[in-house]
Amino acid sequence: MAGAPVSATLLALATPAAESALPCRSDTRGPTRDVTTDNARLPTLEDVARLAGVSRATVSRVINGIRNVNPELHEVVWSAVNATGYVANRAARSLVTRRTGTIALVVSDSESHDDDPFMSRFFSDPFFGRVVGGLMSALRPAGIQLALQLVGADQARGQLVGDLRQGQADGSVVLSLHPGDTLPQLLADAGLAGVVIGRPARPVPISHVDVANDRGAALAADHLVARGRRRIGMITGPIDVPASVDRSSGFRAAMARHGQLFVPSVTGNFTYDSGDRGMRELLAEYPDLDGVFVANDLMAQGGLGALHELGRRVPDEIAVVGFDDSSAALAARPQLTTVRQPLEDMAAEAARMLMALIDEPRRETTAVVFEPTLVVRSSS
Amino acid sequence: MAGAPVSATLLALATPAAESALPCRSDTRGPTRDVTTDNARLPTLEDVARLAGVSRATVSRVINGIRNVNPELHEVVWSAVNATGYVANRAARSLVTRRTGTIALVVSDSESHDDDPFMSRFFSDPFFGRVVGGLMSALRPAGIQLALQLVGADQARGQLVGDLRQGQADGSVVLSLHPGDTLPQLLADAGLAGVVIGRPARPVPISHVDVANDRGAALAADHLVARGRRRIGMITGPIDVPASVDRSSGFRAAMARHGQLFVPSVTGNFTYDSGDRGMRELLAEYPDLDGVFVANDLMAQGGLGALHELGRRVPDEIAVVGFDDSSAALAARPQLTTVRQPLEDMAAEAARMLMALIDEPRRETTAVVFEPTLVVRSSS
DNA sequence: AACGTTTCGGAGAGCGCTCTCCAAGGGAGT
DNA sequence: ACTCCCTTGGAGAGCGCTCTCCGAAACGTT
C-alpha cells in the first residue's frame, strides 16, 4: 500500500515534438451510437407525472424533498421516477432557481499570459491536485460540481467576473499564484461569493483559509533546537509573498525564544536553484552552521544537493528542515524533514465556507487558519 | 526560471489532526455585499434589445454570429451589449440548445469506494495535473468549461451516466485508474460522447488516445545498448495493465533485435517498494547486470535506492532507465533517464476529439497513439 | 351544524434564451 | 409596370423546471 503508481497505469515517453500524433486504428463496429439514444427524448417531469398520475408540481415536490406530500404519493412518484429513469435537467432547474450547483476553482495567475507554460508547471505540482482532492471531498457529498477556470491576463479577469455573475458558477474558490493578485478584490467588489486559499497580500474583504505559517516555522525552529543544533541559519522565500514573510518572522521569533537572537539568512525565490545557491552563500559566510531552515521544500532539496556536493553530511553535520511537505520532500536525499500544511483540509474547509456563503450571501467574511504539523524524516 | 515554486506561495505544515481549524479573525467592513449587486437583476437579452431598439431575436443573432444581420445593426447591438454589460445566461441557453458548453473529466476508480484516500494519492500525482493542463489548453480557446467528476463505487457509475445524459456535460474525457474499468463500456452503451485516455484493457467501441508504450520501451532498450550495456534486465509492471504489458513486450522485442534474446526480469506493481524489492531480487539472481529497464519511474526510484544501498554505482556499474518522466524521475538520485509520454498533448488531443464527437455524434470511434521520447539524465 | 384552520395537490406563470415561421421591403427578371 | 425571389428583422412558441397562488378536502372548534 505504499504510494501507489496511479500515473503509470497509462503512460509512456515524452515529446518535445509537438504534433507527433498519428491516427492508428479505428475500431468501428456498426454505427457508433445506439439509435434509441439519439432520438428518444429523455424523460421529463411531465412524463413522470403522467405515469404517476399526479401533476408536475407534485413530482417536483417529491424530488426536491419538500414536505406536504402524502407518503403514499411519495412512493408512487419515486417508483415512476425509477421506471422512467428520470434525471432532472440541470439547465432548466438552474434557470429558475438561479443556482447552478457548480462552484468554480479559479486559478489566477496575474503575471502570465493566457497560454503561458507556467500553468502547466503549476498543474504538475502536487499542490494543485491536493487542493482539488480536498475540494471534491467536501463538494461531492453536497452534490456540487467543480468547474475549473484559469485566468491569466487581466483582460480575462473582467470576463471571468461577468461569467461568474451570469450563472457559470454559484461561487468560486480562488487560487492565486502571485501575491497582490487583483482577482480577490474584483470578486469582493462584484459581490460574488468567493473564498481564497492563502491569505491575500493586501487585506481584501473576502473570506479565506490559510495555514499558520509563522507557527509552522516555529515548529521547525523548535525541532532544530531539540535536535541539539545551536548555530542555525535560514533560507527565506521572496519578501513579497505573505506566506514567505510569515515563515521568516515566525522562525526568527521562535529562535529568539530559544536565545538565538540573530539568524543568519539569505533570500531565495522558492526554486531549486535558488536553494542550491542560497545554501552555498549561507555556508560561505557562516561555515559552522549545524542547522538550516529552508522556507520551502524545493529550495531545501536544492540546498541538500549543494550540501552533498560540498561534502557536508546530513543530518550529522548539518540538519535541514523544509516547508510544504511537497513531493520534493520525499524526493530529496536524505528525505526531508518538513512542515506540512493540511492542504486537503484547508480546501475542504474553503468549499464548506463557500457553500455557506452561497446559502447566506450576507454572511460576514471570515478567515480560518489551520495548524501546520512537523513531518520528521531523515534530514534532521 | 528553473522549476518555479508554485505551491510554496501559499503553504505551511501538515496535519494528521483532522479538525485543527480555528476561526481567527473576521475582517468585515460594512455589509459584505455591494447592494447594487444583490438586487439589480442582471441584464437580459430583452434589456439589450430595448436599448438597441431591435428585437430579442436580432440581438441573439448578432451575439451568436449568425449572418443575415445588417452591419449597422451589428454595431448598435454590440455597443448596447457593452453598455449593459450583458452576459448570456448559460442555463437559459443550454435549456434550448441542449448543449452545456461543459465537458466532464471523469476520474474513474472502480476498485475504491467513494471516500477512499486513494483518490487523494491520485490527485497529488503530477499525472492528474498534466492531464488537466492539456485539456484546458484545448478547451479554453473553444470556450468550453471543464468539470470534474469522480466516480468510485459501481453504484455511482449508473448515476453518472444518468447525469451525463441529462445535461451535466456534453461529453466526457475518462481517466480510468484501473484496468478493466467498466465505465468506458457504460458510456459506449449509453451512446454518450466520450474519449478515454489510455487504451482500455478490453476493446471497447469508444475513442481513446494512448502512447506507444511498446515503442517507448524500445527507446529505452536502444539507449541502454547504445550506452554499451550488454547484460540488461527489466522490472515490469503488473501483468493486467495494458500499458505495462506493452512496455514489457516492446522491450523484449527490441532487445531481441539487438541480439539479447533473454531478458532477466521480475514483476513489480508500480510502487516504490516493489522497485526496491525487484531490484534486489534481480541482482540476487543476475549479479552481473549492467543495465535495467524499469517500467515506471516510481519503481525505478526504488530500484535506485536499492542500488545505492547495495553499493552499486549508477550509471558506472549499472545503468537504469525508467518510464513516465514523472516527478519521481527528477527526484531520484541520480536523476533518472526515462521515457516520457506527451501527456499534455494527449489530453489536448482527447479534448479535440471529444469536441469533434460532440459536434458530429455519428462520427466513427478513433484511437490516436502518441510517440514517446527518451529523456536522458544521469542514471544511464 | 356551521365555521375556521390546516394540509395537500393542481394550475399556470414565468426563468432567459434560441429558432422557426412569417411579413415586409428591395432588387432583378420579363 | 408587374411578379417573383431573396434578404432582413420581428413575433412568438417553446425548452424543462420551480414555486406561488388557489381551491378542495380534512380536521377541529364552539
Side-chain angles (χ1 to χ4, degrees), chain A residues 69-136:
Chain A
V69 175
N70 184 319
E72 294 172 27
L73 272 187
H74 207 275
E75 279 296 307
V76 177
V77 169
W78 274 118
S79 65
V81 167
N82 291 329
T84 52
Y86 171 79
V87 179
N89 181 311
R90 207 170 172 108
R93 176 175 289 174
S94 60
L95 181 57
V96 42
T97 59
R98 276 124 199 305
R99 284 288 192 78
T100 61
T102 297
I103 80 162
L105 172 58
V106 181
V107 179
S108 170
D109 181 9
S110 49
E111 289 182 8
S112 78
H113 291 292
D114 272 0
D115 292 313
D116 197 298
F118 181 86
M119 282 289 187
S120 64
R121 225 181 301 140
F122 169 73
F123 283 127
S124 60
D125 190 289
F127 177 81
F128 171 69
R130 287 183 65 195
V131 169
V132 169
L135 290 174
M136 288 305 280

Side-chain angles (χ1 to χ4, degrees), chain B residues 75-87:
Chain B
E75 280 296 309
V76 176
V77 169
W78 274 117
S79 64
V81 167
N82 292 329
T84 53
Y86 172 78
V87 178

Side-chain angles (χ1 to χ4, degrees), chain B residues 213-214 217-218 220-221 224 231-237 243-255 260-268 274-275 277-283 286 289-296 299-300 318-321 323:
Chain B
N213 284 294
D214 50 355
L224 285 168
R231 295 172 304 282
I232 301 175
M234 163 166 70
I235 301 177
T236 74
S244 177
V245 172
D246 292 353
R247 288 172 197 182
S248 302
S249 60
F251 191 78
R252 287 206 180 84
M255 287 310 296
Q260 183 181 332
L261 294 179
F262 170 68
V263 178
S265 58
V266 298
T267 302
S274 80
R277 212 179 316 122
M279 186 65 81
R280 289 173 199 274
E281 286 174 23
L282 201 57
L283 288 180
Y286 308 92
L289 291 182
D290 60 3
V292 179
F293 168 61
V294 189
N296 83 332
M299 286 199 298
I318 185 166
V320 176
V321 177
F323 209 114

Side-chain angles (χ1 to χ4, degrees), chain A residues 2-18 20-29 32-34 37-38 42-43 87-92 94-95 114 118 121-130 132-133 136 140 145-150 162-163 165-166 168 175-177 189-191 193 197 199 208 210-211 213 216 219 241 243 247 269-273 296 298 301 323-324 331 333 338-342 345 361-365 367-374, chain B residues 2-18 20-28 32-34 37-38 42-43 87-92 94-95 114 118 121-130 132-133 136 140 145-150 162-163 165-166 168 176-177 189-191 193 197-199 205 208 210-211 213 216 219 241 243 247 269-273 296 298 301 323-324 331 333 338-342 345 361-365 367-374:
Chain A
V6 264
S7 59
T9 309
L10 318 158
L11 312 203
L13 209 41
T15 175
S20 54
L22 35 149
C24 221
R25 31 180 192 283
S26 53
D27 340 302
T28 311
R29 39 186 207 189
T32 310
R33 303 310 199 79
D34 180 348
T37 307
D38 270 342
L42 290 163
V87 179
N89 181 311
R90 207 170 172 108
S94 60
L95 181 57
D114 272 0
F118 181 86
R121 225 181 301 140
F122 169 73
F123 283 127
S124 60
D125 190 289
F127 177 81
F128 171 69
R130 287 183 65 195
V132 169
M136 288 305 280
R140 225 144 73 98
Q145 281 211 350
L146 183 64
L148 248 42
Q149 289 282 353
L150 310 187
D163 286 357
R165 295 181 61 162
Q166 192 54 275
Q168 291 269 22
L175 224 42
S176 283
L177 303 191
D189 290 347
I197 294 186
R199 174 165 61 89
H208 67 271
D210 201 359
V211 72
N213 284 292
L219 247 29
V241 177
R247 289 171 197 183
N269 65 2
F270 280 151
T271 63
Y272 183 98
D273 287 345
N296 82 331
L298 202 53
Q301 196 185 6
F323 209 116
D324 284 354
R333 285 298 109 90
T338 188
V339 180
R340 178 180 169 91
Q341 62 185 337
D345 294 342
R362 313 204 147 274
R363 184 177 282 259
E364 292 187 348
T365 62
V368 177
V369 178
F370 282 74
E371 286 304 317
T373 54
L374 186 72
Chain B
V6 264
S7 59
T9 309
L10 318 160
L11 311 205
L13 206 44
T15 175
S20 52
L22 37 152
C24 220
R25 28 177 193 288
S26 52
D27 338 302
T28 312
T32 309
R33 303 307 200 80
D34 180 349
T37 305
D38 268 345
L42 290 164
V87 178
N89 181 309
R90 210 171 171 106
S94 60
L95 181 57
D114 272 0
F118 182 86
R121 226 181 299 142
F122 169 73
F123 283 126
S124 61
D125 191 290
F127 176 81
F128 171 68
R130 288 182 66 194
V132 169
M136 288 304 281
R140 223 144 74 99
Q145 281 211 351
L146 184 64
L148 248 43
Q149 289 282 352
L150 311 187
D163 286 356
R165 296 181 62 162
Q166 192 56 273
Q168 292 270 21
S176 282
L177 304 191
D189 291 347
I197 295 186
R199 173 165 63 86
H208 67 271
D210 201 0
V211 71
N213 284 294
L219 246 30
V241 177
R247 288 172 197 182
N269 64 1
F270 280 151
T271 62
Y272 183 99
D273 286 345
N296 83 332
L298 202 53
Q301 195 185 5
F323 209 114
D324 284 352
R333 282 300 112 88
T338 188
V339 179
R340 178 180 167 90
Q341 61 184 336
D345 295 341
R362 315 206 145 273
R363 182 178 282 259
E364 293 187 347
T365 63
V368 177
V369 179
F370 283 73
E371 286 303 317
T373 55
L374 188 71

Side-chain angles (χ1 to χ4, degrees), chain A residues 14-301:
Chain A
T15 175
E19 287 300 323
S20 54
L22 35 149
C24 221
R25 31 180 192 283
S26 53
D27 340 302
T28 311
R29 39 186 207 189
T32 310
R33 303 310 199 79
D34 180 348
V35 190
T36 61
T37 307
D38 270 342
N39 305 335
R41 203 173 55 19
L42 290 163
T44 74
L45 251 202
E46 187 73 52
D47 299 325
V48 177
R50 202 175 314 122
L51 183 61
V54 297
S55 76
R56 279 204 319 284
T58 303
V59 179
S60 178
R61 282 192 200 100
V62 170
I63 286 176
N64 295 311
I66 296 178
R67 52 171 210 307
N68 286 1
V69 175
N70 184 319
E72 294 172 27
L73 272 187
H74 207 275
E75 279 296 307
V76 177
V77 169
W78 274 118
S79 65
V81 167
N82 291 329
T84 52
Y86 171 79
V87 179
N89 181 311
R90 207 170 172 108
R93 176 175 289 174
S94 60
L95 181 57
V96 42
T97 59
R98 276 124 199 305
R99 284 288 192 78
T100 61
T102 297
I103 80 162
L105 172 58
V106 181
V107 179
S108 170
D109 181 9
S110 49
E111 289 182 8
S112 78
H113 291 292
D114 272 0
D115 292 313
D116 197 298
F118 181 86
M119 282 289 187
S120 64
R121 225 181 301 140
F122 169 73
F123 283 127
S124 60
D125 190 289
F127 177 81
F128 171 69
R130 287 183 65 195
V131 169
V132 169
L135 290 174
M136 288 305 280
S137 73
L139 257 25
R140 225 144 73 98
I144 292 184
Q145 281 211 350
L146 183 64
L148 248 42
Q149 289 282 353
L150 310 187
V151 287
D154 272 346
Q155 172 264 349
R157 285 150 195 288
Q159 200 200 325
L160 175 77
V161 171
D163 286 357
L164 246 31
R165 295 181 61 162
Q166 192 54 275
Q168 291 269 22
D170 299 332
S172 39
V173 172
V174 178
L175 224 42
S176 283
L177 303 191
H178 297 284
D181 187 357
T182 56
L183 189 61
Q185 186 67 57
L186 280 176
L187 291 181
D189 290 347
L192 290 168
V195 176
V196 179
I197 294 186
R199 174 165 61 89
R202 281 169 303 209
V204 171
I206 194 169
S207 294
H208 67 271
V209 298
D210 201 359
V211 72
N213 284 292
D214 50 355
R215 284 194 289 271
L219 247 29
D222 296 347
H223 173 72
L224 285 168
V225 169
R227 282 286 204 252
R229 308 302 158 147
R230 289 297 172 263
R231 297 173 302 282
I232 301 175
M234 161 166 70
I235 301 177
T236 74
I239 54 169
D240 58 346
V241 177
S244 178
V245 173
D246 292 352
R247 289 171 197 183
S248 303
S249 60
F251 191 76
R252 286 207 182 83
M255 288 311 296
R257 282 199 295 277
H258 289 294
Q260 182 180 331
L261 294 177
F262 171 68
V263 178
S265 58
V266 299
T267 302
N269 65 2
F270 280 151
T271 63
Y272 183 98
D273 287 345
S274 81
D276 182 305
R277 212 178 316 120
M279 186 63 80
R280 289 173 199 276
E281 287 174 23
L282 202 55
L283 288 181
E285 201 159 349
Y286 308 93
D288 64 343
L289 290 183
D290 60 3
V292 180
F293 168 61
V294 189
N296 82 331
D297 288 346
L298 202 53
M299 287 198 299
Q301 196 185 6

